[in-house]
Amino acid sequence: KEKHKILHQLLQNSTSPVDL
Amino acid sequence: SNEDTVSTASMASTAEIDHLSQIVSRSHLETCQYLGEELQQMSWQSFVQEEVETYQSKTQEVMWQLCAVKITEAIQYVVEFAKRIDGFMELCQNDQIVLLKAGSLEVVFIRMCRLFDSQKNAVYFDGKFAGPDVFRALGCDDLISSVFDFAQSLCSLHLTEDELALFSAFVLLSADRSWLQDKLQVEKLQQKTQLALQHVLQKNQREEGLLTKLRYKVSVLRSLSSRHTEKLSAFRVVHSDIVRTHFPPLYKELFGA
């Protein structure tokens, strides 16, 4: 999990860091 | 009654396929970095010679970093695209990550054809349209030239947004990626996506051989993606500190060893 921390976060966030 | 069952089953499946097409197309449009209207309003201005030279005179490290940032931005939109595809979030998280690590850059290459000017052989990059010579400082002319060739060839197919959307989903949901835990579930999703793609191609009255051409593109995409990884590894050998301290963390997670 540590290895893919950001991907995990992006996948779990319902709101994306990207301003869509 | 047997006929009824068959026709109900095929109707249900058609409805399911239609639904998937709609979801994937909508997800694609919602998560494209540049929308159709924005593309139309874009001035499609190219870098002038002086600007090209400015990019060429950057150091290899600075140019790599700039491209890593741009690729990472594009990939964040691809992650959102994946999340909105029916069934993707039902996969276990290992498989979601495997598919994104293997396929997100390939989808960026597909999406590149929306921002590609075939006549000028130029791609939208850092605010204007850039030819392959803009990327000379990277020191991978062969890969850049292959990426541009790919964009030219994909553009020549004149895919609609629906077709691009389903082709992107088909590539992302590749069931033959290494390290998948539940290959079968991914395979089912990919098969449904392929049916939806076939259905849209038929609906759009596209030529018979288009699906075969797209299948060939899948292997080209894999080669581009693995060559990118090789180039990054070679770059890291010389500039490991730059990668560690200046490259986007998401980029490192996706393409790092």
Coordinates of all heavy atoms in Angstrom, one line a residue, chain B residues 9 48 130 147 184 238:
Chain B
A9 N -32.9 -12.4 -23.8 CA -31.5 -12.4 -23.4 C -30.7 -11.4 -24.3 O -29.9 -10.6 -23.8 CB -30.9 -13.8 -23.5
V48 N 7.0 29.4 -32.3 CA 7.9 29.9 -33.3 C 9.3 29.4 -33.1 O 9.6 28.9 -32.0 CB 7.9 31.5 -33.3 CG1 6.5 32.0 -33.6 CG2 8.3 32.0 -31.9
A130 N 3.5 21.9 -30.6 CA 4.9 21.6 -30.7 C 5.2 20.4 -31.6 O 4.5 19.4 -31.5 CB 5.4 21.2 -29.3
V147 N 6.1 8.2 -31.1 CA 4.9 8.7 -30.5 C 4.2 9.6 -31.5 O 2.9 9.5 -31.7 CB 5.2 9.5 -29.2 CG1 4.0 10.2 -28.7 CG2 5.7 8.6 -28.1
L184 N -10.2 -13.1 -14.6 CA -11.5 -13.4 -15.2 C -12.5 -12.2 -15.2 O -13.2 -11.9 -16.1 CB -12.1 -14.6 -14.4 CG -13.1 -15.4 -15.2 CD1 -12.5 -16.1 -16.4 CD2 -13.8 -16.4 -14.3
V238 N 21.7 8.1 -14.6 CA 22.5 9.3 -14.6 C 21.9 10.3 -13.6 O 22.7 11.1 -13.0 CB 22.6 9.9 -16.0 CG1 23.7 11.0 -16.0 CG2 23.0 8.8 -17.0

